[in-house]
Amino acid sequence: MGMLKEDALKGKRILITGGGTGLGKAMTDYFLELGAACLITSRKDEIIQATAKELSSKHRGNCLAIAGDVRNYEDVERVVSYGYEHLGGIDILINNAAGNFISPTERLSHRAFESVIGIVLQGSINYTLALGKRWIEANEQGKTVLSIVTTYAWTGSGYVVPSATAKAGVLAMTRSLAVEWGKKGIRLNAIAPGPFHTSGAMDRLLPGELAQLLSPTKRIPLGRLGKLEELANLSAYLISDYSSYVNGEVITIDGGEWLKGAGEFNGLDIIPDEQWNEIEKLTRKAKST
Ligand code: HXC
Ligand code: NAP
């Protein structure tokens, strides 16, 4: 269910990288519902054109699409110019495109690292720089960048080391520029999602039997994956004028997952209620020793 009131994003022009699928598509869908005009981009032209067509006809909003690789700065400039030409400008950037897959790190080639870091870190830098330069040059105020990171941006995580390294970089960029560019009227924030069901993520991170073996729902205090509209609601708030004093923040949306992994005694969840009587006897007995 949508959180913000009708037309909350009316007049906003939003560029969403990776907007053709998964979380990017869900955010674009809600931004259009709230009256924004959107430009989505990714490598696969057919997919983004189909998404733009579907969402434009679903909403009164205008959704455009243009293909490009976030790693290639010429593509980035071409996509941004397209936005200025066809939407009259860009007010909001969503750094959402990503590449990721699980692997023991010693099995990775340097090109595998290059690929993921290129998409996640260099791609986010490319778009932030291209738009930041334009906004600052024209002294445009009230602009904002929202980057989608993940909870292991600060904890790190084995088996997704290129992604963890790159997401940590995106978070550092967000916090650094929030300060440096705050005085120029640009806000930067991030969202750190836990697991949400998208085929892009699940097919690469929990393929085959791993989906059962490492079922994220077992690790999440709320006992379920995130819903796409929950992420869309948070993102819409963070790019809207309602959050105009939020700058340099990262908001976690993971049902409590990473804290459960971090708290020393959270594993005691497995103790059944009846066994606590016995345990209490032991802990009380410790008083006399
Ligand atoms: C080992 C692999 C590999 C794999 C690719 N490589 N896949 N190595 N295991 N599964 C190696 C290749 O052999 C090659 O190295 C290098 O990586 C580049 O591969 P390409 O296929 O040329 O890369 P490219 O076409 O750039 O594709 C990028 C990609 C791909 C990341 C590899 O998966 C992709 O397009 N992903 C986009 C969508 C995505 O990943 N979505 C998930 C986001 S989920 P060599 O040496 O052979 O040349 C997410 C959630 C995190 O981030 C948090 C969850 C809680
Ligand atoms: P997804 O559907 O695979 O989205 C990734 C998007 O990035 C795709 O649309 C892809 O499109 C685009 N992309 C990849 N490489 C690109 C490149 N070089 N240039 C331009 N676009 C590129 O997966 P998702 O789950 O929605 O992920 C969206 C974001 O959420 C990512 O930042 C991810 O790290 C983050 N996240 C997801 C989860 C989760 O559980 N789903 C959890 C935490 C964080 P093309 O292939 O057409 O280029």
Side-chain angles (χ1 to χ4, degrees):
M1 198 174 54
M3 173 180 80
L4 295 187
K5 63 183 179 196
E6 212 178 313
D7 288 341
L9 295 178
K10 196 172 167 60
K12 304 288 189 196
R13 299 155 298 184
I14 310 175
L15 195 163
I16 303 109
T17 68
T21 63
L23 300 184
K25 181 177 177 182
M27 287 188 279
T28 305
D29 191 347
Y30 189 41
F31 299 160
L32 288 163
E33 186 183 322
L34 292 171
C38 294
L39 172 61
I40 59 175
T41 183
S42 83
R43 294 165 299 178
K44 299 188 190 99
D45 193 45
E46 247 176 69
I47 292 194
I48 48 170
Q49 296 302 342
T51 296
K53 197 169 164 204
E54 177 194 331
L55 297 182
S56 292
S57 61
K58 182 173 170 191
H59 301 287
R60 64 208 149 96
N62 181 15
C63 187
L64 302 175
I66 179 170
D69 191 321
V70 295
R71 293 170 286 194
N72 180 332
Y73 199 75
E74 278 175 21
D75 280 12
V76 170
E77 277 291 345
R78 186 172 45 76
V79 170
V80 168
S81 297
Y82 184 89
Y84 271 73
E85 217 173 289
H86 291 82
L87 298 177
I90 303 286
D91 305 295
I92 296 162
L93 165 66
I94 312 287
N95 284 317
N96 167 76
N100 198 3
F101 50 81
I102 48 168
S103 174
T105 306
E106 68 278 11
R107 291 173 62 102
L108 295 174
S109 69
H110 70 278
R111 280 182 295 270
F113 258 92
E114 221 169 73
S115 169
V116 172
I117 288 180
I119 299 168
V120 176
L121 181 54
Q122 191 62 52
S124 301
I125 291 169
N126 285 345
Y127 269 99
T128 306
L129 191 63
L131 277 163
K133 278 174 185 285
R134 286 191 189 230
W135 292 337
I136 291 166
E137 169 83 29
N139 195 21
E140 296 185 71
Q141 301 287 305
K143 307 294 176 187
T144 186
V145 177
L146 177 67
S147 296
I148 310 301
V149 294
T150 174
T151 50
Y152 58 62
W154 56 86
T155 62
S157 174
Y159 303 96
V160 284
V161 171
S163 170
T165 308
K167 294 286 192 185
V170 175
L171 186 53
M173 176 188 76
T174 300
R175 288 173 165 154
S176 307
L177 287 178
V179 176
E180 190 182 330
W181 285 357
K183 58 185 175 294
K184 297 186 188 289
I186 303 170
R187 293 189 298 126
L188 293 97
N189 291 294
I191 293 179
F196 282 70
H197 190 92
T198 66
S199 55
M202 295 305 151
D203 297 352
R204 291 178 176 86
L205 301 173
L206 291 172
E209 289 174 2
L210 286 186
Q212 290 305 319
L213 199 67
L214 293 178
S215 169
T217 53
K218 290 185 196 143
R219 297 193 311 270
I220 299 171
L222 294 185
R224 63 172 176 84
L225 298 187
K227 296 179 189 158
L228 298 191
E229 69 262 28
E230 291 171 328
L231 188 288
N233 271 325
L234 178 58
S235 65
Y237 165 70
L238 284 173
I239 60 168
S240 75
D241 295 337
Y242 295 110
S243 65
S244 49
Y245 203 50
V246 182
N247 187 28
E249 189 52 87
V250 53
I251 300 190
T252 302
I253 178 164
D254 74 342
E257 184 193 37
W258 88 267
L259 280 172
K260 179 169 178 180
E264 183 77 25
F265 290 99
N266 289 339
L268 291 176
D269 273 355
I270 57 166
I271 306 289
D273 281 352
E274 51 285 9
Q275 205 180 326
W276 277 108
N277 291 335
E278 283 311 307
I279 294 174
E280 186 176 337
K281 278 184 204 151
L282 295 173
T283 56
R284 285 185 180 280
K285 203 168 139 195
K287 195 175 166 186
S288 56
T289 60

